[in-house]
Amino acid sequence: MAALVLFGGGGDLAMRMLLPSLYFLEHDGLLPDGLKIIGAARSEETRDEYVAKVRQSVEAKAKADAAWSDDAWTRMEARLDYLAVDATSAESLKPLKDKVGDGACTSFLAVSPSLYARIVTAMRAAGLAEPEDRVVLEKPIGRDLETFRQIDDAVADAFSENQVFRIDHYLGKETVQNLIALRFGNTIFEPLWNNLSIDHVQITVGETVGVGDRWPYYDEYGALRDMLQNHMLQLLCLVAMEPPSDLDPDSVRNEKVKVLRSLRPITPEEAERVTVRGQYVAGVVEAEPVKGYDEERGADSDTETFVAVRADIDNWRWAGVPFFMRTGKRLPEKRTEIVIQFKPVPHSIFDHGDRGAVEANRLVIELQPEEDISLSVMNKKPGLDQRMQLQPIRMSLSWGQNDRTAAPPRRRIAYERLLLDALHGDSTLFVRRDEAEQAWKWVDEVSEAWEGAGFKPHDYVAGSWGPEAADLLLSRTGRAWNSGNA
């Protein structure tokens, strides 16, 4: 009988994301038969107390999605167990090994990455790192290349690479996976997916929330390490990678590594031209006054809460096509999107007066707050005017948009896909060690360039789209950030 162990099973990630995801998989009959789900944490509580907490968390989320079922919960509850442990102690983990039994065990480390090395060492000593076992690691692993390698070396001592699943929940999003289908399942887009047709790419991850009481963590990582090193570079890789020979996990990840190796290094001399650091000051977000980062922290800090970067990929497909990435806290919208901006037509046969201007085609892949893929194209404005008039229209490429009678599917939590893949040993949507190393190497170069150039964060008012320098990053090249849904 197989087991899934949630280290940190009573924590925020487990209660807010992992256990609801497991319930939804149970609801849909997708969990493996006989799978045991064991919460493991320091808290001294009984199984019944733990199960009651899980139900409270799961039921609220399931009812909000109209997916609560007493039968599904009964099945889920039968799988649940709990054990109070010190995960860094092999002696403390031995009773957990007894609960797991002789079947394959998948361990999800929903704890601070600073504990990973000690936990996996204890797991190996306790018999929880056998050849058929797996371990799932949450980001961020380390805060630079050196600390990543220190942690991952300990992981490699306990588990072989094919047993390690480094998770990035953005890769579990339906629209991110649909990007692979869009690119490699159609002849329409892939022939245009290069520097001959594409002008530039934008990747935006905007958050309205501030750092708040998470500042001790954020002060150590900042926006560069917290978001760009993993989420944003993963999205860049999926946009930019060459077609893999097949969907074998290593085939896909080999192509992503090639992209990361092709990223142009950012030097101290280039830092001010191609990067922007920002930190929010007091302002208004969603009609509510909010404090600045330094006020929340209670002291001055040079930690960036906003970062924008121009990345260049030095290979044949993307030479000359800039990739602009921006992410920040206390922005006006919660928005995550990828914008593929195509080049304009080489010559417009339409006047730019009352006929309407020809706008370049744009593919927008939205991940938050809604998931959608839309294509903006030019068409004739309806009417009997003698002079043809043009207008842009957006065509949605999302599921069900062409069938108005079909009910849209429930928007799945990204962890549902990733937990299921980990349980089945499919590592396609997980990050390989050399992938993570290349990402850290490039991000370390950015960080070192900032340090070498004495590059301090610009202030930006909470509720704005970041420092003015972020707009200049594009405007000096004759471009602009996508400001709406067009």
Side-chain angles (χ1 to χ4, degrees):
M1 183 181 291
L4 172 64
V5 176
L6 302 179
F7 287 100
D12 178 69
L13 177 62
M15 290 293 173
R16 190 168 48 88
M17 290 292 180
L18 303 182
L19 287 157
S21 295
L22 290 165
Y23 166 81
F24 287 126
L25 293 173
E26 179 69 78
H27 179 275
D28 295 342
L30 297 174
L31 288 181
D33 292 340
L35 177 72
K36 294 186 286 188
I37 301 170
I38 305 170
R42 288 183 177 273
S43 176
E44 291 288 348
E45 58 188 334
T46 66
R47 175 193 178 274
D48 289 345
E49 289 171 332
Y50 179 69
V51 169
K53 281 171 53 179
V54 173
R55 174 168 182 155
Q56 184 179 14
S57 176
V58 165
E59 188 172 3
K61 204 164 187 73
K63 284 185 173 177
D65 284 351
W68 177 256
S69 159
D70 289 336
D71 288 344
W73 170 251
T74 299
R75 298 194 305 272
M76 172 86 170
E77 184 179 18
R79 298 180 186 271
L80 288 171
D81 205 345
Y82 180 79
L83 188 65
V85 299
D86 174 2
T88 63
S89 163
E91 196 63 34
S92 181
L93 290 182
K94 286 179 180 175
L96 178 61
K97 172 60 178 174
D98 293 337
K99 277 189 179 292
V100 167
D102 295 328
C105 176
T106 300
S107 296
F108 195 117
L109 272 54
V111 298
S112 169
S114 63
L115 299 173
Y116 286 175
R118 293 164 62 194
I119 290 175
V120 294
T121 301
M123 287 172 64
R124 180 180 61 176
L128 290 167
E130 298 302 310
E132 69 275 11
D133 295 333
R134 304 182 184 110
V135 65
V136 183
L137 307 177
E138 262 286 340
K139 71 94 183 173
I141 304 174
R143 69 176 305 277
D144 52 27
L145 181 58
E146 181 182 357
T147 54
F148 168 79
R149 283 176 170 162
Q150 289 171 359
I151 295 170
D152 224 57
D153 284 347
V155 174
D157 282 342
F159 295 90
S160 61
E161 178 61 27
N162 65 357
Q163 295 174 274
V164 180
F165 291 72
R166 299 172 194 83
I167 204 165
D168 186 328
H169 72 268
Y170 269 47
L171 299 185
K173 290 182 177 292
E174 195 72 39
T175 310
V176 173
Q177 296 168 62
N178 209 1
L179 174 59
I180 298 174
L182 192 76
R183 283 195 60 190
F184 305 129
N186 298 283
T187 57
I188 299 172
F189 294 108
E190 188 56 25
L192 305 177
W193 213 264
N194 53 49
N195 55 8
L196 300 179
S197 300
I198 292 177
D199 177 79
H200 71 280
V201 176
Q202 299 178 23
I203 301 174
T204 294
V205 180
E207 298 179 275
T208 57
V209 298
V211 175
D213 57 9
R214 291 181 66 239
W215 70 260
Y217 159 81
Y218 210 81
D219 230 30
E220 185 178 359
Y221 286 87
L224 179 70
R225 294 179 174 92
D226 183 50
M227 294 296 294
L228 192 134
Q229 184 273 335
N230 39 75
H231 298 329
M232 303 191 79
L233 285 182
Q234 283 295 315
L235 296 178
L236 179 145
C237 286
L238 290 176
V239 171
M241 72 182 188
E242 295 296 320
S245 57
D246 51 41
L247 283 180
D248 178 79
D250 277 336
S251 298
V252 174
R253 296 191 293 182
N254 286 345
E255 299 305 332
K256 287 159 68 181
V257 171
K258 290 178 186 176
V259 173
L260 293 169
R261 287 177 176 163
S262 299
L263 285 172
R264 185 182 302 167
I266 291 176
T267 63
E269 294 74 26
E270 287 281 277
E272 190 167 2
R273 187 180 70 85
V274 298
T275 73
V276 177
R277 296 182 79 195
Q279 185 186 102
Y280 63 83
V281 296
V284 177
V285 178
E286 297 177 337
E288 293 289 333
V290 297
K291 295 179 178 179
Y293 179 72
D294 284 350
E295 294 175 85
E296 291 175 335
R297 186 178 180 276
D300 291 346
S301 166
D302 285 338
T303 300
E304 78 281 352
T305 61
F306 176 97
V307 61
V309 177
R310 170 182 170 152
D312 289 273
I313 301 172
D314 290 333
N315 62 21
W316 277 32
R317 181 184 290 262
W318 296 114
V321 178
F323 284 68
F324 297 102
M325 297 180 282
R326 64 174 172 173
T327 182
K329 303 282 189 184
R330 291 295 189 209
L331 300 184
E333 297 175 34
K334 181 178 181 179
R335 187 203 302 179
T336 302
E337 68 180 14
I338 303 168
V339 178
I340 313 296
Q341 181 66 60
F342 290 91
K343 291 182 177 180
V345 294
H347 169 69
S348 175
I349 64 172
F350 304 96
D351 297 328
H352 291 286
D354 55 2
R355 289 186 187 273
V358 176
E359 297 179 14
N361 302 129
R362 174 178 287 182
L363 183 69
V364 179
I365 300 151
E366 299 175 67
L367 281 71
Q368 287 185 127
E370 300 299 327
E371 295 194 42
D372 189 22
I373 299 178
S374 61
L375 179 64
S376 182
V377 298
M378 298 304 299
N379 80 322
K380 177 189 175 297
K381 186 179 291 187
L384 297 176
D385 302 285
Q386 289 185 332
R387 292 168 60 81
M388 184 183 292
Q389 293 184 313
L390 300 181
Q391 65 180 4
I393 62 168
R394 291 177 70 240
M395 300 185 297
S396 176
L397 307 180
S398 289
W399 184 93
Q401 292 295 318
N402 296 321
D403 182 2
R404 299 300 178 184
T405 65
R410 178 180 63 81
R411 185 177 175 186
R412 290 192 178 275
I413 303 171
Y415 282 99
E416 293 178 50
R417 167 83 275 157
L418 299 172
L419 282 166
L420 205 57
D421 284 355
L423 290 169
H424 291 145
D426 184 345
S427 57
T428 306
L429 298 176
F430 294 83
V431 180
R432 203 169 59 192
R433 175 168 178 150
D434 56 345
E435 236 183 295
E437 285 184 330
Q438 286 295 326
W440 273 123
K441 181 175 181 291
W442 191 75
V443 163
D444 279 359
E445 289 168 349
V446 176
S447 181
E448 289 161 9
W450 286 348
E451 188 175 344
F455 202 24
K456 304 294 184 184
H458 300 278
D459 288 346
Y460 66 95
V461 176
S464 70
W465 275 108
E468 183 181 352
D471 292 328
L472 291 174
L473 186 67
L474 273 75
S475 63
R476 70 167 64 102
T477 69
R479 302 176 174 98
W481 292 106
N482 183 39
S483 58
N485 295 322

Tab-separated table of all heavy atoms in Angstrom, residues 262-282:
chain	number	residue	atom	x	y	z
A	262	SER	N	21.217	29.831	-22.590
A	262	SER	CA	21.351	30.840	-23.652
A	262	SER	C	21.049	32.250	-23.167
A	262	SER	O	21.188	33.202	-23.941
A	262	SER	CB	20.398	30.493	-24.817
A	262	SER	OG	20.708	29.231	-25.370
A	263	LEU	N	20.615	32.402	-21.908
A	263	LEU	CA	20.327	33.741	-21.395
A	263	LEU	C	21.603	34.575	-21.324
A	263	LEU	O	22.612	34.133	-20.786
A	263	LEU	CB	19.700	33.652	-19.999
A	263	LEU	CG	18.237	33.199	-19.928
A	263	LEU	CD1	17.845	32.968	-18.478
A	263	LEU	CD2	17.318	34.225	-20.575
A	264	ARG	N	21.535	35.775	-21.871
A	264	ARG	CA	22.696	36.662	-21.869
A	264	ARG	C	22.987	37.118	-20.434
A	264	ARG	O	22.074	37.590	-19.738
A	264	ARG	CB	22.436	37.866	-22.758
A	264	ARG	CG	23.625	38.806	-22.916
A	264	ARG	CD	23.247	39.987	-23.787
A	264	ARG	NE	22.781	39.544	-25.104
A	264	ARG	CZ	22.157	40.341	-25.974
A	264	ARG	NH1	21.912	41.612	-25.649
A	264	ARG	NH2	21.758	39.865	-27.142
A	265	PRO	N	24.212	36.993	-19.958
A	265	PRO	CA	24.533	37.460	-18.599
A	265	PRO	C	24.300	38.957	-18.464
A	265	PRO	O	24.486	39.722	-19.413
A	265	PRO	CB	26.022	37.119	-18.445
A	265	PRO	CG	26.301	36.073	-19.481
A	265	PRO	CD	25.378	36.373	-20.623
A	266	ILE	N	23.887	39.364	-17.278
A	266	ILE	CA	23.689	40.786	-16.987
A	266	ILE	C	24.864	41.279	-16.145
A	266	ILE	O	25.121	40.759	-15.057
A	266	ILE	CB	22.348	41.006	-16.274
A	266	ILE	CG1	21.200	40.724	-17.260
A	266	ILE	CG2	22.241	42.425	-15.719
A	266	ILE	CD1	19.816	40.814	-16.660
A	267	THR	N	25.577	42.240	-16.663
A	267	THR	CA	26.792	42.739	-16.019
A	267	THR	C	26.489	44.019	-15.235
A	267	THR	O	25.454	44.668	-15.456
A	267	THR	CB	27.860	43.046	-17.075
A	267	THR	OG1	27.366	44.107	-17.927
A	267	THR	CG2	28.155	41.820	-17.944
A	268	PRO	N	27.377	44.424	-14.306
A	268	PRO	CA	27.172	45.696	-13.596
A	268	PRO	C	27.021	46.886	-14.544
A	268	PRO	O	26.256	47.811	-14.272
A	268	PRO	CB	28.431	45.828	-12.734
A	268	PRO	CG	28.873	44.419	-12.499
A	268	PRO	CD	28.541	43.684	-13.763
A	269	GLU	N	27.740	46.854	-15.671
A	269	GLU	CA	27.667	47.949	-16.642
A	269	GLU	C	26.285	48.020	-17.310
A	269	GLU	O	25.816	49.090	-17.694
A	269	GLU	CB	28.741	47.785	-17.723
A	269	GLU	CG	30.181	47.916	-17.236
A	269	GLU	CD	30.652	46.699	-16.445
A	269	GLU	OE1	30.107	45.587	-16.675
A	269	GLU	OE2	31.547	46.868	-15.588
A	270	GLU	N	25.638	46.857	-17.450
A	270	GLU	CA	24.346	46.782	-18.129
A	270	GLU	C	23.166	46.869	-17.171
A	270	GLU	O	22.024	47.035	-17.603
A	270	GLU	CB	24.246	45.452	-18.903
A	270	GLU	CG	25.102	45.377	-20.149
A	270	GLU	CD	24.433	46.132	-21.291
A	270	GLU	OE1	23.562	45.567	-21.963
A	270	GLU	OE2	24.780	47.314	-21.482
A	271	ALA	N	23.431	46.724	-15.874
A	271	ALA	CA	22.343	46.545	-14.902
A	271	ALA	C	21.307	47.655	-14.968
A	271	ALA	O	20.100	47.387	-14.966
A	271	ALA	CB	22.922	46.444	-13.489
A	272	GLU	N	21.744	48.907	-15.038
A	272	GLU	CA	20.787	50.008	-15.006
A	272	GLU	C	19.961	50.076	-16.290
A	272	GLU	O	18.808	50.515	-16.275
A	272	GLU	CB	21.506	51.333	-14.773
A	272	GLU	CG	20.542	52.469	-14.497
A	272	GLU	CD	21.238	53.704	-13.959
A	272	GLU	OE1	22.484	53.688	-13.831
A	272	GLU	OE2	20.536	54.680	-13.671
A	273	ARG	N	20.521	49.630	-17.398
A	273	ARG	CA	19.811	49.688	-18.681
A	273	ARG	C	18.772	48.577	-18.809
A	273	ARG	O	17.723	48.780	-19.427
A	273	ARG	CB	20.810	49.600	-19.840
A	273	ARG	CG	20.176	49.816	-21.222
A	273	ARG	CD	21.200	49.716	-22.323
A	273	ARG	NE	21.685	48.355	-22.498
A	273	ARG	CZ	21.075	47.427	-23.242
A	273	ARG	NH1	19.956	47.719	-23.882
A	273	ARG	NH2	21.589	46.208	-23.358
A	274	VAL	N	19.047	47.404	-18.241
A	274	VAL	CA	18.172	46.258	-18.508
A	274	VAL	C	17.459	45.724	-17.268
A	274	VAL	O	16.738	44.733	-17.358
A	274	VAL	CB	18.957	45.108	-19.195
A	274	VAL	CG1	19.495	45.555	-20.537
A	274	VAL	CG2	20.065	44.571	-18.292
A	275	THR	N	17.649	46.325	-16.103
A	275	THR	CA	16.938	45.872	-14.904
A	275	THR	C	16.402	47.070	-14.120
A	275	THR	O	16.929	48.176	-14.220
A	275	THR	CB	17.838	45.038	-13.962
A	275	THR	OG1	18.772	45.894	-13.303
A	275	THR	CG2	18.574	43.943	-14.696
A	276	VAL	N	15.369	46.818	-13.341
A	276	VAL	CA	14.783	47.827	-12.464
A	276	VAL	C	14.479	47.175	-11.124
A	276	VAL	O	13.893	46.091	-11.060
A	276	VAL	CB	13.468	48.400	-13.055
A	276	VAL	CG1	12.836	49.405	-12.080
A	276	VAL	CG2	13.712	49.049	-14.409
A	277	ARG	N	14.910	47.840	-10.047
A	277	ARG	CA	14.543	47.421	-8.689
A	277	ARG	C	13.593	48.464	-8.110
A	277	ARG	O	13.783	49.657	-8.322
A	277	ARG	CB	15.759	47.331	-7.771
A	277	ARG	CG	16.786	46.303	-8.116
A	277	ARG	CD	17.909	46.313	-7.089
A	277	ARG	NE	17.536	45.602	-5.865
A	277	ARG	CZ	18.201	45.689	-4.718
A	277	ARG	NH1	19.260	46.486	-4.631
A	277	ARG	NH2	17.816	44.992	-3.652
A	278	GLY	N	12.613	48.005	-7.370
A	278	GLY	CA	11.681	48.940	-6.767
A	278	GLY	C	11.240	48.484	-5.390
A	278	GLY	O	11.327	47.295	-5.054
A	279	GLN	N	10.770	49.431	-4.580
A	279	GLN	CA	10.215	49.109	-3.267
A	279	GLN	C	9.009	50.020	-3.035
A	279	GLN	O	9.103	51.237	-3.230
A	279	GLN	CB	11.259	49.324	-2.173
A	279	GLN	CG	10.795	48.906	-0.781
A	279	GLN	CD	11.806	49.275	0.291
A	279	GLN	OE1	11.651	50.251	1.014
A	279	GLN	NE2	12.871	48.471	0.375
A	280	TYR	N	7.889	49.426	-2.620
A	280	TYR	CA	6.673	50.232	-2.474
A	280	TYR	C	6.710	51.103	-1.220
A	280	TYR	O	7.230	50.715	-0.180
A	280	TYR	CB	5.412	49.371	-2.516
A	280	TYR	CG	5.237	48.337	-1.427
A	280	TYR	CD1	4.720	48.676	-0.172
A	280	TYR	CD2	5.543	46.996	-1.667
A	280	TYR	CE1	4.541	47.712	0.817
A	280	TYR	CE2	5.361	46.026	-0.694
A	280	TYR	CZ	4.860	46.390	0.548
A	280	TYR	OH	4.680	45.437	1.521
A	281	VAL	N	6.180	52.303	-1.394
A	281	VAL	CA	5.959	53.213	-0.278
A	281	VAL	C	4.449	53.339	-0.098
A	281	VAL	O	3.670	52.789	-0.865
A	281	VAL	CB	6.612	54.583	-0.534
A	281	VAL	CG1	8.117	54.445	-0.638
A	281	VAL	CG2	6.049	55.250	-1.799
A	282	ALA	N	4.034	54.043	0.936
A	282	ALA	CA	2.609	54.134	1.261
A	282	ALA	C	1.791	54.612	0.065
A	282	ALA	O	2.233	55.440	-0.738
A	282	ALA	CB	2.414	55.073	2.447
